[in-house]
């Protein structure tokens, strides 16, 4: 976090098809002539500068760590002043910068390069039933319909996405709630495909080459103020249990205080949100969703698995 927050920007690169996102390499040596964008990023010395509207990715990172999931990438809020950056990046607005992981696997398909796997909704539900990689599994990892990803990883993802109401991964078509006309899934006419489950695909399903059994969570800003009446329970469909550490935190009543303590470490984010008074309503929303999730677990008689299971 300190490195992301304080290191000098020494190179910048545009990300194709992501006009408002820059990949930058950050100083690790006083000799900037040694910097090379491609080599730096291969060595894990780069970050992605995203839009001010993506600042909630910082909140998502801290929520991930407080819950003991450890699947999102380090993210901090930062104001930039580097002469290498365009003015809109140095106008005084805080932006998130997120660590660039060098070994995330991407499909070669240019239309589906934000995935490590081509995965549809029906295939996803099928692999959940197989309990891939578990002792009681009907199929081994890497054998159809299983991927290389452990069964328990999907529970982590579903819990995380439900608390943040991230629809883009598991339900980019907004099939789990009635979307407003301004929603991207409506403007792009994706919602109409909900009538045919075979057409539904998942996005941002990513792994690292060094840890193919674990998911990596990206683009986690979610929807902090998505109304409670429209919570997307489709994100939980097919999940048969949740990680014990995360559930214990939700039950403890300490989630808000734990998040406040964690977020205070990022003073730029803290101040951009108005400190304790500004963050309190946001954290109350997250906590309320946690209580709703606990009720869902109880009503559906779902299991809680030990951390050693994954």
């Amino acid at each position: 976090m300190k490195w992301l927050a304080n290191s000098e920007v020494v190179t910048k690169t545009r990300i194709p098809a992501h006009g408002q996102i820059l990949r930058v390499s950050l100083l690790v040596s006083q000799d900037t002539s040694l910097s090379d964008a491609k080599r730096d990023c291969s060595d894990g010395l780069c970050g992605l500068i995203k839009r001010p509207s993506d600042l909630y990715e910082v909140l998502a990172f801290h929520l991930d760590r407080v819950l003991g999931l450890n699947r999102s990438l380090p993210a901090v809020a930062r104001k930039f002043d580097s002469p290498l950056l365009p003015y809109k990046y140095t106008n005084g607005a805080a932006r998130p910068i997120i660590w660039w992981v060098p070994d995330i696997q991407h499909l070669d398909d240019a239309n589906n390069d934000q995935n490590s796997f081509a995965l549809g909704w029906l295939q996803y539900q099928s692999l959940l039933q197989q309990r891939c990689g578990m002792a009681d599994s009907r199929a081994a990892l890497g054998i159809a319909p299983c991927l290389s990803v452990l069964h328990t990883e999907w529970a982590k993802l579903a819990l995380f996405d439900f608390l943040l109401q991230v629809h883009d991964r598991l339900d980019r078509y907004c099939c789990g709630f009635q979307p407003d006309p301004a929603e991207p899934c409506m403007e792009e006419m994706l919602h109409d495909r909900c009538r045919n489950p075979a057409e539904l695909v998942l996005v941002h399903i990513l792994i690292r080459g060094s840890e193919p059994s674990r998911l990596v969570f990206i683009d986690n800003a979610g929807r902090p103020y998505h109304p409670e009446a429209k919570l997307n329970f489709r994100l939980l469909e097919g999940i048969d249990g949740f990680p014990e550490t995360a559930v214990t935190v939700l039950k403890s009543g300490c989630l808000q205080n734990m998040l406040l303590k964690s977020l205070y470490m990022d003073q730029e984010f803290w101040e951009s949100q108005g400190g304790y008074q500004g963050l309190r309503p946001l954290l109350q929303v997250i906590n309320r969703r946690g209580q709703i999730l606990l009720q869902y677990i109880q009503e559906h008689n779902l299991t809680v698995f030990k951390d050693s299971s994954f």
Side-chain angles (χ1 to χ4, degrees):
M1 288 176 61
K2 290 180 179 178
W3 171 70
L4 285 171
N6 301 314
S7 297
E8 179 185 346
V9 174
V10 289
T11 70
K12 70 175 187 293
T13 309
R14 295 267 179 200
I15 303 296
H18 294 81
Q20 297 189 56
I21 298 177
L22 284 179
R23 187 177 68 184
V24 295
S25 54
L26 300 172
L27 183 68
V28 291
S29 168
Q30 293 303 312
D31 187 357
T32 58
S33 65
L34 298 176
S35 293
D36 172 83
K38 186 174 182 179
R39 184 185 66 241
D40 288 347
C41 293
S42 296
D43 291 341
L45 302 177
C46 289
L48 284 183
I49 305 177
K50 304 188 76 172
R51 300 165 296 186
S53 59
D54 294 320
L55 264 178
Y56 290 125
E57 290 214 40
V58 176
L59 169 67
F61 164 66
H62 286 265
L63 177 65
D64 170 87
R65 294 310 194 265
V66 163
L67 293 174
L69 303 177
N70 303 316
R71 294 296 181 267
S72 67
L73 304 176
V76 300
R78 179 171 173 177
K79 293 177 181 177
F80 293 89
D81 57 10
S82 171
L84 290 176
L85 301 176
Y87 171 72
K88 65 181 178 180
Y89 289 83
T90 60
N91 63 3
R95 288 173 173 262
I97 179 168
I98 298 159
W99 181 49
W100 173 272
V101 180
D103 66 337
I104 284 185
Q105 295 188 351
H106 296 272
L107 291 173
D108 292 332
D109 182 358
N111 296 318
N112 196 16
D113 67 347
Q114 289 302 299
N115 278 334
S116 297
F117 310 100
L119 185 61
W121 174 259
L122 295 180
Q123 181 189 358
Y124 168 62
Q125 289 298 309
S126 176
L127 68 84
L128 289 180
Q129 293 175 12
Q130 297 295 324
R131 296 179 55 79
C132 302
M134 304 298 285
D136 59 349
S137 175
R138 305 182 188 97
L141 292 180
I143 306 298
C146 289
L147 307 174
S148 65
V149 179
L150 282 172
H151 178 70
T152 47
E153 291 294 290
W154 305 107
K156 285 188 168 190
L157 178 63
L159 181 147
F160 186 69
D161 280 3
F162 183 81
L163 294 178
L164 294 167
Q165 287 295 290
V166 177
H167 308 318
D168 296 345
R169 266 187 285 264
L170 298 175
D171 187 20
R172 68 188 300 252
Y173 306 88
C174 308
C175 300
F177 66 102
Q178 184 54 50
D180 295 329
E183 292 275 3
C185 59
M186 294 293 284
E187 292 182 346
E188 299 172 21
M189 300 182 69
L190 298 176
H191 188 63
D192 295 341
R193 301 186 190 179
C194 293
R195 293 189 289 264
N196 184 5
E199 293 186 11
L200 307 181
V201 299
L202 279 56
V203 297
H204 294 162
I205 305 301
L206 295 167
I207 59 170
R208 298 179 64 176
S210 57
E211 295 183 307
S213 64
R214 296 183 175 187
L215 294 172
V216 176
F217 303 167
I218 69 163
D219 287 2
N220 303 321
R223 305 177 187 212
Y225 296 107
H226 189 72
E228 186 172 313
K230 289 188 175 183
L231 288 179
N232 191 352
F233 285 90
R234 184 181 176 87
L235 303 174
L236 307 175
E237 192 167 325
I239 302 297
D240 58 7
F242 292 94
E244 182 180 50
T245 297
V247 171
T248 299
V249 172
L250 296 179
K251 286 181 176 180
S252 70
C254 299
L255 177 61
Q256 292 185 71
N257 286 337
M258 293 173 73
L259 277 172
L260 283 169
K261 184 177 180 180
S262 185
L263 289 166
Y264 190 72
M265 296 172 60
D266 189 326
Q267 279 294 298
E268 202 67 68
F269 181 79
W270 182 270
E271 293 173 8
S272 75
Q273 301 303 305
Y276 170 75
Q277 292 300 328
L279 282 167
R280 186 180 177 188
L282 177 59
L283 301 190
Q284 287 176 334
V285 168
I286 301 295
N287 186 64
R288 172 62 181 157
R289 290 176 185 169
Q291 299 309 303
I292 292 171
L293 177 60
L294 291 176
Q295 184 178 351
Y296 177 92
I297 292 172
Q298 183 177 14
E299 290 177 351
H300 290 78
N301 197 28
L302 300 180
T303 62
V304 175
F305 50 80
K306 296 284 187 181
D307 294 352
S308 59
S309 301
F310 60 106

